Every structure is written in structure tokens, then in C-alpha cells.
Amino acid sequence: MALHKPVMTVQQHILLEQKRFPGASGEFSFLLSGITLATKMIQAQVRRAGLTDLLGSYGETNVQGEVQQKLDVYANEALLDNLRVRESVGVLASEENERPLMVHGSSPNAKYAVIFDPLDGSSNIDVNVSVGTTFSILKRAEGSSLDDSSSWLLQPGSQQVAAGYVVYGSSTMMVYTVGNGVHGFTLDPAVGAYVLSHENIRMPAQGPYYSTNEAYRDTFPRADQEYIERLRTGKLGRNYSSRYIGSMIADFHRTLLKGGVFLYPPTSTSPDGKLRLLYEANPVAMIAEEAGGAAWSGSQRILDIVPKTIHQRTALAVGGQVEMDEYKRCLAEFGEA
Ligand code: AHM
Ligand code: MG
């Protein structure tokens, strides 16, 4: 009887996926290994957060005007340090940094821009609630200037060549897509490797939960208020229950696996929505669509939005087919805002 069970690590998986691209040289898998390594470092600190001196605020505010947690800063540095040494990376853009970093931007070998939110939901960290890292990878547009970071970054999400996230929850899990399905890998802490645990994830067409910050409901646009009312009152043929963690990645991860809808509409305090298009909405939108779901802002498909600035915000509704069809119906009936 064989005692050893073969496993598929995320690195093996990426190498197999890469073979689908003609002329692939291995540089893309090396780039992604920077993300897997950095997120293992981040999870090690997250797991020990109460024991080390890494809890609490760092004493500065970031470009979004939010108080930076020490772990935000640690996570940002871990990603920047591990990615800037990959020669295929030309630009790094982090939610925590005002300006993107040109790393090998003028090298002809630099092809990719990596965009990330190092620690999403970090205000939850002190109370042991799940947080996450998101990433989105764009390829430098053909003919675009090597030294101008905007031409690398201000592309619609439909141009992403890969996207994913890591959720630091009851286990650490990485979910990613290169446009060929969505795959989930659980970190085996004893071995230190992300191991394939959720192959070809499909979002249920209809799920049991809706997820939004109901405290702001009275200030949502009319279409969103009506939509929530329909979910609550059985108009979609089932009685929805509500779940809201306040960590987008944790809320989205549940929505991806169990189905339903997550929404963060415009509110009186965040009239353009709170979430960031490049760091948060684009990666989850690509994953949702690849898994059979959809993602919309108040007026259009998230992946069609052409960004004007790297830190721009957007309204976001992301979920399964049945929920999102009804969402679009509400937008058509009640207008977007
Ligand atoms: P962050 O990137 O500064 O951590 O903020 C984003 C977080 C999301 O994870 C979450 O969906 C949202 O903020 C929660 O906001 P609210 O507390 O307004 O419901
Ligand atoms: Mg954040």
C-alpha cells in the first residue's frame, strides 16, 4: 500500500498552465512565485500577530487617508521586496503606496505590472478576523512607453492576464486564475506549500446569502435598496440569509464557494463606492467571471471600466448568475444612482 499521496502544488500548477502559452519561458511562474513566497511570509506574521509586536497601528496614514496597521506595512514590504527582484516585473502598484514603483520598467525583459492590496480588511486583524491579499497582473500594452507607468496600469480589468487572492482564515488559501478556470490551494503549514484543494471552482448559480453593510442601506442608490428588498422578501424564489464580515476577501471567498452576492454600493460617505477598482474589484471580478458569476459597478461590467487613476474607487456587486441577473434588472428599472 502506497503511503505517499501525490500532491499538486501551486507552483507545479502554474508551470502546467504556462505550457498553454506558446513561447512561455518560465518567467511568469517565477513572477507568481514571488507572490506565493511573500504571502507565506505574511501569513506567518498574521498567525503570530498577538505574540509579536506587529499588532496595532503603524502611526501613519496611507494614500487613502486610512490609518496603516503595522501588518499593512509588513505585508507591503514583503510583496515589494519579493517582486522587485523578478526581472519580468516592470511596475509594482500597491494600495499602500501613493505612486507606482517602476522596477525594471526600462528593460525590454520587463513585461508585467503587478497590482496588489497587501492586506485587505486589516482593521479586522486585532480581533482575529480573516484578512486577505489581492493581486492583479497586467501585461504591458503593445507599443506602450517603457517608462510611463500609467500606460502599464490604466488598462481595463478585461486585460488582466492573471488575478487572485490569498485569504488568511481558518486556513490560508490561495485562489487564482490565468483565464482558464479558478483554482484554490490550501497552505499545508507543515510542508510550507500551497496544495491544490479546490480544482476548477464554480460559483453556484444561486446561493443562500447576501452580504453588504446594512448600516448604510438608507444611503444606497435606489436600485441597490430595491435589490436588497427583493432578496429579503423572497422575490428570487428563496429566503436569503445575511452574512457580512467586513473583510472583502473573506466575504467574497464565501460568496465564491457558497454562492450569493456581495455588494458595496455608493454611500453618503463614499459616493463613488469604497473599494478600489485596480486592487480589489478587478481581481475578484475576473475570478467571479471565470467561475461562472458576474461583477458590476452601478452602471457597467467591472472588467470594462477603463481606469483614469490608479487609486480610483468603484461600486461593486459580485455574485452568482441568478443574483447578478436580478441586480442588472434593478439597475435597468431604477437607474444606476
Ligand atoms: P482596506 O483595504 O483599507 O482594508 O478596506 C477595505 C475593506 C474591505 O475589506 C471591506 O469590504 C470594506 O473595507 C468594509 O468596509 P465597511 O467597514 O465600510 O463595511
Ligand atoms: Mg487594504
Side-chain angles (χ1 to χ4, degrees), residues 95-96 117 119-121 280:
E95 194 196 289
E96 297 296 332
D117 180 359
L119 209 59
D120 178 66
E280 293 161 336

Side-chain angles (χ1 to χ4, degrees), residues 15 18-19 21-30 88 109 111-112:
L15 280 169
Q18 192 176 255
K19 291 216 172 96
F21 299 106
S25 58
E27 59 190 11
F28 189 64
S29 69
F30 187 50
S88 63
N109 296 332
K111 292 185 191 139
Y112 299 105

Side-chain angles (χ1 to χ4, degrees), residues 123-181:
S123 63
N124 277 324
I125 198 114
D126 290 0
V127 289
N128 238 320
V129 170
S130 301
V131 288
T133 295
T134 60
F135 61 90
S136 154
I137 302 177
L138 290 164
K139 204 166 184 180
R140 178 161 54 83
E142 204 66 40
S144 68
S145 153
L146 284 172
D147 320 296
D148 169 20
S149 63
S150 312
S151 62
W152 294 69
L153 296 169
L154 300 183
Q155 304 183 56
S158 55
Q159 296 301 311
Q160 291 171 106
V161 292
Y165 61 84
V166 174
V167 58
Y168 311 104
S170 46
S171 61
T172 298
M173 191 169 162
M174 170 177 268
V175 174
Y176 93 110
T177 182
V178 288
N180 185 33

Side-chain angles (χ1 to χ4, degrees), residues 203 252 255 260-262 284-296 301-302 316-325 327-328:
M203 193 183 271
F252 174 72
T255 307
V261 60
F262 167 82
V284 301
M286 182 176 182
I287 288 180
E289 288 198 4
E290 275 293 315
W296 275 60
R301 179 179 171 237
I302 290 285
L316 173 68
V318 55
Q321 214 184 311
V322 171
E323 287 86 6
M324 291 308 294
D325 283 350
Y327 187 68
K328 288 177 224 168

Side-chain angles (χ1 to χ4, degrees), residues 34-91:
I35 297 176
T36 55
L37 180 56
T39 56
K40 284 181 207 172
M41 292 173 169
I42 297 166
Q43 77 86 33
Q45 295 302 333
V46 167
R47 300 286 170 225
R48 304 183 67 235
L51 302 170
T52 59
D53 190 30
L54 275 175
L55 274 188
S57 74
Y58 183 65
E60 289 187 15
T61 46
N62 65 11
V63 58
Q64 325 284 342
E66 296 153 349
V67 176
Q68 276 186 311
Q69 306 292 308
K70 287 183 198 163
L71 271 166
D72 280 328
V73 177
Y74 177 88
N76 196 31
E77 287 172 359
L79 280 155
L80 291 173
D81 287 346
N82 281 295
L83 287 167
R84 73 187 344 146
V85 294
R86 265 82 178 153
E87 220 198 325
S88 63
V89 178
V91 179

